[in-house]
Amino acid sequence: MEQELLRVNHLTIEFKSETAFNKAVDDISFSLNKGEILGIVGESGSGKSVTSLAIMQLLDKDASRISSGEIIFHDKSDLQQDLLQLNEKEMRKWRGNKIAMIFQEPMTSLNPVMKCGKQVMEAILLHQQISKKEAKEKTIFLFNEVLLPKPEEVFNKYPHELSGGQKQRVMIAMAISGNPLLLIADEPTTALDVTVQKTILQLLKNLQQKHRMSVIFITHDLGVVAEIADNVVVLFKGNIVEQGNVNAIFKNARHPYTQGLLACRPRLDKRLAHLPTVNDFINQTGFKEIEISKTLREEQQKIIYAKPPILQIKDINVNFITKTSLLGKPTEIFKAVKNISFDVFEGETLGLVGESGCGKTTLGRSILQLIKASSGQVLYKGKELTTLSNSGMRAFRQKLQIIFQDPYSSLNPRISIGNAIMEPMKVHNILENDKARKARVIEILERVNMNESHFKRYPHEFSGGQRQRICIARALALNPELIICDESVSALDVSVQAQVLNLLNELKLDFKFTYIFISHDLSVVKFMSDRMIVMKCGEIVEMGEADNIYSKPLSPYTKNLIQSIPGNF
């Protein structure tokens, strides 16, 4: 019989509002055995991260309270300890030694002004009675263990000098430095490319088996849970709606919420006209899958490609100066985009996919002249954009819009969302006065499934999905012809992602848009795109019809991207 390591009994966590306490976690119970990986899955706001912070005793005591429950931990001597009964000084001895945590965003978890090696050494010296020399040797050993390239060099680098995957490996090294019995990984792969995500998941699994750790793995993606977990707990609005063996739940999910989470991920085996959403299952809307047949798709594309291209990219190069001499002369140049050429046709969605650093965002911004190309041509309806003056390009931007990755940083926190949408309309003299513009903004808000009451609210009052809808509304307000979506759903929960993808497709049909859809997620690009371009190291490695590329990839790089899609079931 497997030995229990952790048991959470009837845990209730409440957060303080102006008038009362509101339940974020409501009477949940689950257990974790020694050597087991438990997945906790749910959307943002479901209570999964709050639960992990309660285990670590890291909740803000001024803003929250644990109103009931116990968190029982069995240490190496198999003595039981309710972690909620420990004071801060006592709990500090448990953190790092017996329980460690990897946070979602490594850049905000690492000190930007301290070298990576020093940060890991600091954690080791805090919990272990060893010399600085021994701590340094152990740090380099840990960097080797988490498969960081050139560990001695990484030791002396600052966080900003590492890639996202490398920073996450540094965080993993720090977490396992005290040989914890329990490792909590809170969304550790959400911001990573699918290939990097796959290597991090495999690394965590290997380390778990080698060190005989137990792991709580928190995520919003059931596909990721399928890759790594033995058992799963599904949280919805602070309640456990389903828990058990991960394979059993995947094959026979009983709760509508779990069924919705599984269904709303873009399908790889068929092309649907519309993605199901979690609400379809919870509200039992009777959603029916409508598959787009190969024949219908070919007919639609025949119409699109019979017209001349709306946008032509010819031999675009984008170079960045990375080093200069004392006199300011460039001595090192990084070639971000190399001799790229392609056409975009009116009414098409062209997918642009590749890992971080492949040049896809740089290419998208160079099309809009937000980054100046070093050479090459960008022709929009025959008009050369690279030679336009700033004022000439500013007028042209009404026709070419972009939706950025992070909606929160795209919106001014001090301007209400109604005024944020109206502002570019004023700049481009759309409609005759503010009264007409306001009416148009309300009309657009309703079109993106929001309403008039949202007009005077500020960005911080909305969820991530709602903020992305606001950014879409702002782009719509200028009546554009072509929209570049730059990783515009990568930060969203899979359920919210499905809603936004459906909305973009509906708007495309209603307003006759042309999209360039940029993403590192090949399953999302496949769902959205007519054609797909795969980029690597600033170059195109494959280009063609999206379904054909997925079913018969020619490049080993594309094959690896497809194989790395989590939970490819």
Side-chain angles (χ1 to χ4, degrees):
M1 186 177 174
E2 292 176 321
Q3 287 182 296
E4 189 176 84
L5 178 73
L6 179 80
R7 172 165 287 279
V8 174
N9 285 328
H10 303 291
L11 182 67
T12 299
I13 303 170
E14 298 175 320
F15 279 83
K16 192 187 293 183
S17 68
E18 290 181 5
T19 56
F21 276 91
N22 301 308
K23 289 181 181 178
V25 171
D26 187 7
D27 193 31
I28 68 168
S29 299
F30 62 88
S31 64
L32 172 71
N33 291 325
K34 292 180 179 178
E36 177 192 345
I37 300 179
L38 175 70
I40 299 182
V41 69
E43 298 170 282
S44 297
S46 63
K48 54 190 190 299
S49 291
V50 171
T51 301
S52 70
L53 291 173
I55 295 169
M56 293 289 290
Q57 291 294 286
L58 290 174
L59 288 170
D60 184 348
K61 289 181 172 58
D62 294 327
S64 65
R65 70 182 184 190
I66 296 173
S67 53
S68 69
E70 54 185 8
I71 301 172
I72 305 297
F73 194 93
H74 301 261
D75 67 13
K76 288 177 182 176
S77 59
D78 209 33
L79 294 173
Q80 292 187 20
Q81 175 64 57
D82 183 356
L83 300 181
L84 300 182
Q85 301 303 314
L86 298 174
N87 60 37
E88 177 57 28
K89 186 178 179 181
E90 292 168 332
M91 190 62 206
R92 211 172 287 138
K93 295 175 183 176
W94 284 68
R95 292 192 204 111
N97 268 339
K98 296 175 183 178
I99 310 171
M101 190 164 181
I102 306 165
F103 294 95
Q104 179 172 352
E105 179 46 68
M107 195 62 205
T108 54
S109 304
L110 293 168
N111 188 331
V113 296
M114 186 185 287
K115 290 178 180 178
C116 293
K118 293 280 187 184
Q119 295 189 55
V120 179
M121 269 184 68
E122 190 176 57
I124 293 169
L125 291 168
L126 186 66
H127 293 289
Q128 298 169 42
Q129 301 298 314
I130 58 175
S131 67
K132 287 186 177 180
K133 183 184 177 183
E134 288 171 320
K136 182 177 181 180
E137 288 171 355
K138 182 165 185 178
T139 300
I140 292 170
F141 171 80
L142 288 167
F143 283 176
N144 262 310
E145 195 168 30
V146 298
L147 307 179
L148 275 165
K150 300 178 181 176
E152 290 83 1
E153 290 183 19
V154 172
F155 185 93
N156 290 309
K157 285 187 175 181
Y158 291 95
H160 73 271
E161 298 179 275
L162 304 181
S163 69
Q166 288 173 334
K167 284 196 281 278
Q168 201 58 284
R169 287 169 192 268
V170 171
M171 289 297 299
I172 293 169
M174 191 184 298
I176 66 170
S177 64
N179 301 315
L181 297 171
L182 171 60
L183 178 65
I184 301 173
D186 186 7
E187 300 265 18
T189 61
T190 299
L192 303 178
D193 298 324
V194 286
T195 48
V196 179
Q197 175 177 263
K198 187 175 183 179
T199 59
I200 294 293
L201 291 175
Q202 190 58 55
L203 172 65
L204 282 171
K205 202 156 191 173
N206 292 342
L207 291 170
Q208 179 260 337
Q209 290 169 353
K210 181 180 177 181
H211 296 280
R212 300 178 65 81
M213 288 186 298
S214 299
V215 176
I216 293 177
F217 193 95
I218 296 167
T219 181
H220 64 260
D221 191 343
L222 270 168
V224 172
V225 169
E227 294 281 322
I228 193 167
D230 303 305
N231 293 305
V232 63
V233 169
V234 183
L235 275 173
F236 176 54
K237 294 183 177 178
N239 295 282
I240 293 177
V241 295
E242 201 156 358
Q243 63 177 307
N245 177 269
V246 69
N247 293 324
I249 285 178
F250 268 45
K251 288 173 184 173
N252 187 30
R254 295 181 180 180
H255 195 276
Y257 180 68
T258 315
Q259 293 167 353
L261 282 180
L262 287 166
C264 67
R265 301 171 72 250
R267 294 286 295 267
L268 298 170
D269 58 340
K270 61 175 77 171
R271 179 175 285 274
L272 299 180
H274 198 81
L275 286 174
T277 66
V278 167
N279 287 336
D280 288 326
F281 286 82
I282 291 172
N283 300 329
Q284 297 182 330
T285 60
F287 174 86
K288 290 182 180 178
E289 285 188 354
I290 300 173
E291 187 175 352
I292 299 175
S293 67
K294 188 176 180 182
T295 304
L296 177 60
R297 188 164 161 77
E298 286 172 353
E299 288 173 1
Q300 291 171 340
Q301 292 183 344
K302 200 177 286 183
I303 295 167
I304 291 171
Y305 300 127
K307 305 171 190 173
I310 191 173
L311 179 72
Q312 294 172 284
I313 309 300
K314 297 184 176 181
D315 299 317
I316 281 289
N317 288 275
V318 181
N319 300 332
F320 294 106
I321 297 167
T322 55
K323 209 171 185 180
T324 58
S325 65
L326 288 171
L327 299 174
K329 187 177 179 181
T331 56
E332 281 185 20
I333 291 174
F334 172 66
K335 295 182 178 182
V337 174
K338 308 170 188 174
N339 294 314
I340 283 187
S341 301
F342 59 88
D343 296 336
V344 183
F345 294 81
E346 189 173 352
E348 176 184 29
T349 298
L350 178 71
L352 205 54
V353 70
E355 296 173 287
S356 298
C358 72
K360 57 190 188 295
T361 292
T362 301
L363 175 61
R365 295 188 181 196
S366 68
I367 291 169
L368 295 175
Q369 304 302 296
L370 298 172
I371 294 174
K372 287 293 182 182
S374 306
S375 63
Q377 292 179 292
V378 178
L379 300 169
Y380 184 77
K381 292 186 174 179
K383 180 79 173 178
E384 172 62 87
L385 302 187
T386 56
T387 57
L388 287 177
S389 63
N390 287 339
S391 59
M393 190 61 215
R394 200 174 297 123
F396 221 90
R397 284 208 180 101
Q398 180 184 338
K399 297 176 182 178
L400 308 173
Q401 282 293 297
I402 186 167
I403 302 167
F404 293 102
Q405 177 174 357
D406 182 359
Y408 194 69
S409 61
S410 306
L411 296 166
N412 188 329
R414 293 177 292 180
I415 297 177
S416 71
I417 64 117
N419 287 322
I421 297 169
M422 278 178 61
E423 190 176 46
M425 295 173 74
K426 289 181 184 178
V427 170
H428 291 282
N429 296 314
I430 294 173
L431 301 177
E432 61 276 8
N433 55 47
D434 281 353
K435 184 179 178 181
R437 292 185 190 112
K438 182 176 180 180
R440 174 65 176 150
V441 169
I442 292 167
E443 184 185 320
I444 293 169
L445 283 173
E446 288 173 348
R447 189 64 194 82
V448 298
N449 301 326
M450 301 185 77
N451 57 58
E452 185 177 352
S453 68
H454 294 133
F455 187 94
K456 293 183 178 180
R457 295 188 191 176
Y458 290 84
H460 74 272
E461 298 180 76
F462 297 94
S463 68
Q466 287 174 318
R467 284 196 288 264
Q468 199 58 282
R469 289 171 190 273
I470 293 162
C471 291
I472 292 169
R474 185 173 59 181
L476 290 180
L478 296 179
N479 303 315
E481 296 168 346
L482 184 144
I483 298 177
I484 296 176
C485 302
D486 185 10
E487 298 275 14
S488 51
V489 296
S490 63
L492 304 177
D493 293 333
V494 285
S495 53
V496 179
Q497 175 182 278
Q499 295 170 16
V500 173
L501 293 177
N502 286 337
L503 174 64
L504 288 170
N505 275 337
E506 288 166 16
L507 295 171
K508 178 187 174 183
L509 291 174
D510 293 349
F511 293 91
K512 311 300 180 191
F513 288 139
T514 302
Y515 286 138
I516 295 177
F517 195 90
I518 299 171
S519 179
H520 65 259
D521 189 335
L522 198 140
S523 61
V524 168
V525 172
K526 177 184 177 293
F527 169 73
M528 290 294 292
S529 305
D530 297 294
R531 286 186 304 143
M532 187 191 299
I533 291 174
V534 183
M535 286 185 68
K536 181 185 179 185
C537 300
E539 298 178 302
I540 293 174
V541 296
E542 199 158 351
M543 177 165 55
E545 205 275 336
D547 286 357
N548 290 343
I549 285 182
Y550 176 75
S551 59
K552 295 177 183 176
L554 301 175
S555 162
Y557 177 72
T558 311
K559 290 176 185 175
N560 189 35
L561 282 179
I562 293 166
Q563 289 165 0
S564 300
I565 297 171
N568 199 343
F569 51 87

Coordinates of all heavy atoms in Angstrom, one line a residue, residues 521-558:
D521 N 1.9 27.9 -30.9 CA 1.1 26.7 -30.7 C 0.5 26.3 -32.0 O -0.4 26.9 -32.6 CB -0.1 27.1 -29.8 CG -0.9 25.9 -29.3 OD1 -0.9 24.9 -30.1 OD2 -1.5 25.9 -28.3
L522 N 1.1 25.2 -32.5 CA 0.7 24.7 -33.9 C -0.7 24.2 -34.0 O -1.4 24.4 -35.0 CB 1.7 23.5 -34.3 CG 1.7 23.2 -35.8 CD1 3.1 22.9 -36.2 CD2 0.8 22.0 -36.1
S523 N -1.3 23.7 -32.8 CA -2.7 23.3 -32.9 C -3.6 24.4 -33.1 O -4.6 24.3 -33.8 CB -3.1 22.5 -31.6 OG -2.9 23.3 -30.5
V524 N -3.3 25.6 -32.4 CA -4.1 26.8 -32.6 C -4.0 27.3 -34.0 O -5.0 27.7 -34.6 CB -3.7 27.9 -31.6 CG1 -4.3 29.2 -31.9 CG2 -4.1 27.4 -30.2
V525 N -2.8 27.4 -34.5 CA -2.5 27.9 -35.9 C -3.3 27.0 -36.9 O -3.9 27.5 -37.9 CB -1.0 28.0 -36.2 CG1 -0.8 28.3 -37.6 CG2 -0.4 29.0 -35.3
K526 N -3.2 25.7 -36.7 CA -3.9 24.8 -37.6 C -5.4 25.0 -37.6 O -6.0 25.0 -38.7 CB -3.6 23.3 -37.2 CG -4.4 22.3 -38.1 CD -4.1 20.9 -37.5 CE -4.9 19.9 -38.3 NZ -6.3 20.0 -38.2
F527 N -6.0 25.3 -36.5 CA -7.4 25.5 -36.4 C -7.8 26.8 -37.1 O -8.8 26.9 -37.8 CB -7.9 25.6 -34.9 CG -9.3 26.2 -34.8 CD1 -10.4 25.4 -35.1 CD2 -9.5 27.5 -34.3 CE1 -11.7 25.9 -35.0 CE2 -10.8 27.9 -34.2 CZ -11.9 27.1 -34.5
M528 N -7.0 27.9 -37.0 CA -7.3 29.2 -37.5 C -7.0 29.4 -39.0 O -7.6 30.1 -39.7 CB -6.5 30.3 -36.7 CG -7.0 30.4 -35.3 SD -8.7 31.1 -35.2 CE -8.5 32.8 -35.8
S529 N -6.0 28.7 -39.5 CA -5.3 29.1 -40.8 C -5.8 28.3 -42.0 O -6.2 27.2 -42.0 CB -3.8 28.9 -40.6 OG -3.3 29.6 -39.5
D530 N -5.7 29.1 -43.2 CA -5.8 28.5 -44.5 C -4.5 27.9 -44.9 O -4.4 26.7 -45.3 CB -6.3 29.5 -45.5 CG -7.7 30.0 -45.1 OD1 -8.7 29.2 -45.2 OD2 -7.8 31.2 -44.8
R531 N -3.5 28.8 -44.9 CA -2.1 28.4 -45.1 C -1.3 28.6 -43.9 O -1.6 29.4 -43.0 CB -1.5 29.1 -46.3 CG -2.0 28.7 -47.7 CD -1.2 29.4 -48.8 NE -1.3 30.8 -48.6 CZ -0.3 31.7 -48.8 NH1 0.9 31.2 -49.3 NH2 -0.4 33.0 -48.7
M532 N -0.1 28.0 -43.8 CA 0.8 28.1 -42.7 C 2.2 28.2 -43.1 O 2.6 27.6 -44.1 CB 0.6 26.8 -41.8 CG 1.3 26.8 -40.5 SD 1.4 25.1 -39.8 CE -0.4 24.8 -39.6
I533 N 2.9 29.1 -42.4 CA 4.3 29.3 -42.6 C 5.0 28.9 -41.3 O 4.7 29.3 -40.2 CB 4.7 30.7 -42.9 CG1 4.2 31.1 -44.3 CG2 6.2 31.0 -42.9 CD1 4.4 32.6 -44.7
V534 N 6.0 28.0 -41.4 CA 6.8 27.5 -40.2 C 8.1 28.2 -40.3 O 8.8 28.1 -41.3 CB 6.9 26.0 -40.2 CG1 7.7 25.5 -38.9 CG2 5.6 25.3 -40.3
M535 N 8.5 28.9 -39.2 CA 9.8 29.6 -39.2 C 10.7 29.1 -38.1 O 10.3 28.6 -37.1 CB 9.5 31.1 -38.8 CG 8.9 31.9 -40.0 SD 8.8 33.7 -39.6 CE 10.5 34.2 -39.5
K536 N 12.0 29.1 -38.5 CA 13.1 28.7 -37.6 C 14.3 29.6 -37.8 O 14.7 29.7 -39.0 CB 13.4 27.3 -37.8 CG 14.5 26.8 -36.8 CD 14.9 25.3 -37.1 CE 16.0 24.9 -36.2 NZ 16.5 23.5 -36.6
C537 N 14.8 30.2 -36.8 CA 16.1 31.0 -36.9 C 16.0 32.1 -38.0 O 16.9 32.3 -38.7 CB 17.3 30.1 -37.1 SG 17.6 28.9 -35.8
G538 N 14.8 32.7 -38.1 CA 14.6 33.8 -39.0 C 14.3 33.4 -40.4 O 14.2 34.3 -41.3
E539 N 14.2 32.1 -40.7 CA 14.0 31.6 -42.0 C 12.7 30.8 -42.1 O 12.3 30.2 -41.1 CB 15.2 30.8 -42.5 CG 16.5 31.6 -42.6 CD 17.6 30.7 -43.0 OE1 17.9 29.7 -42.4 OE2 18.3 31.1 -44.1
I540 N 12.1 30.7 -43.3 CA 11.0 29.8 -43.6 C 11.5 28.4 -43.8 O 12.3 28.2 -44.7 CB 10.1 30.3 -44.8 CG1 9.5 31.7 -44.4 CG2 9.1 29.3 -45.1 CD1 8.7 32.3 -45.6
V541 N 11.0 27.5 -43.0 CA 11.4 26.1 -43.3 C 10.4 25.3 -44.0 O 10.6 24.2 -44.6 CB 11.8 25.4 -42.0 CG1 13.0 26.0 -41.3 CG2 10.7 25.3 -41.0
E542 N 9.1 25.8 -43.9 CA 8.0 25.1 -44.6 C 6.8 26.1 -44.8 O 6.6 26.9 -43.9 CB 7.6 23.9 -43.7 CG 6.8 22.9 -44.5 CD 6.8 21.5 -43.9 OE1 7.6 21.3 -42.9 OE2 6.1 20.6 -44.3
M543 N 6.2 26.0 -45.9 CA 5.0 26.8 -46.2 C 4.0 26.0 -47.0 O 4.4 25.3 -48.0 CB 5.5 28.1 -46.9 CG 4.3 29.0 -47.3 SD 4.9 30.7 -47.7 CE 6.1 30.4 -49.0
G544 N 2.7 26.1 -46.7 CA 1.7 25.4 -47.5 C 0.4 25.4 -46.8 O 0.2 26.0 -45.8
E545 N -0.5 24.6 -47.4 CA -1.9 24.4 -46.8 C -1.8 23.9 -45.4 O -1.0 22.9 -45.2 CB -2.7 23.5 -47.7 CG -4.2 23.7 -47.6 CD -4.8 22.9 -46.5 OE1 -4.2 21.9 -46.1 OE2 -5.9 23.3 -46.0
A546 N -2.5 24.4 -44.4 CA -2.3 24.1 -43.0 C -2.5 22.6 -42.7 O -1.7 22.0 -42.0 CB -3.2 25.0 -42.2
D547 N -3.6 22.1 -43.2 CA -3.9 20.7 -42.9 C -2.9 19.7 -43.5 O -2.5 18.7 -42.9 CB -5.3 20.3 -43.5 CG -6.4 20.9 -42.6 OD1 -6.1 21.5 -41.6 OD2 -7.6 20.7 -43.0
N548 N -2.4 20.1 -44.7 CA -1.4 19.3 -45.4 C 0.0 19.3 -44.6 O 0.6 18.2 -44.4 CB -1.1 19.7 -46.8 CG -2.3 19.5 -47.7 OD1 -3.1 18.6 -47.4 ND2 -2.3 20.1 -48.9
I549 N 0.3 20.4 -44.1 CA 1.6 20.5 -43.3 C 1.4 19.7 -42.0 O 2.4 19.0 -41.6 CB 1.9 22.0 -42.9 CG1 2.4 22.7 -44.2 CG2 2.9 22.1 -41.8 CD1 2.8 24.1 -44.0
Y550 N 0.2 19.7 -41.4 CA 0.1 18.9 -40.2 C 0.1 17.4 -40.5 O 0.7 16.7 -39.8 CB -1.2 19.3 -39.4 CG -1.4 18.4 -38.3 CD1 -0.7 18.6 -37.1 CD2 -2.3 17.3 -38.3 CE1 -0.9 17.7 -36.0 CE2 -2.5 16.5 -37.2 CZ -1.7 16.7 -36.1 OH -1.9 15.8 -35.0
S551 N -0.6 17.0 -41.5 CA -0.7 15.6 -41.8 C 0.6 15.0 -42.5 O 0.9 13.9 -42.2 CB -1.9 15.3 -42.7 OG -1.8 16.0 -43.9
K552 N 1.3 15.9 -43.2 CA 2.5 15.4 -43.9 C 3.6 16.4 -43.9 O 4.0 17.0 -44.9 CB 2.2 15.1 -45.4 CG 1.2 13.9 -45.6 CD 0.8 13.7 -47.0 CE -0.2 12.6 -47.2 NZ -0.6 12.5 -48.6
P553 N 4.1 16.7 -42.7 CA 5.2 17.7 -42.5 C 6.5 17.2 -43.3 O 6.8 16.0 -43.2 CB 5.4 17.8 -41.0 CG 4.9 16.4 -40.5 CD 3.8 16.0 -41.4
L554 N 7.1 18.1 -44.0 CA 8.3 17.8 -44.7 C 9.6 18.0 -43.9 O 10.6 17.3 -44.0 CB 8.4 18.6 -46.0 CG 7.2 18.4 -47.0 CD1 7.3 19.3 -48.2 CD2 7.1 16.9 -47.4
S555 N 9.5 19.0 -43.0 CA 10.7 19.4 -42.2 C 10.8 18.7 -40.9 O 9.7 18.6 -40.2 CB 10.7 20.9 -42.0 OG 11.5 21.3 -40.9
P556 N 11.9 18.2 -40.5 CA 12.1 17.6 -39.2 C 11.7 18.5 -38.0 O 11.1 18.1 -37.0 CB 13.6 17.2 -39.1 CG 14.0 17.1 -40.5 CD 13.2 18.1 -41.3
Y557 N 11.9 19.8 -38.3 CA 11.6 20.8 -37.3 C 10.0 20.9 -37.1 O 9.5 20.9 -35.9 CB 12.1 22.2 -37.7 CG 11.7 23.3 -36.8 CD1 12.3 23.5 -35.5 CD2 10.8 24.3 -37.2 CE1 12.0 24.5 -34.7 CE2 10.4 25.4 -36.3 CZ 11.1 25.5 -35.1 OH 10.7 26.5 -34.2
T558 N 9.3 20.9 -38.2 CA 7.8 20.9 -38.1 C 7.3 19.6 -37.4 O 6.4 19.6 -36.6 CB 7.2 21.0 -39.5 OG1 7.8 22.1 -40.2 CG2 5.7 21.3 -39.4

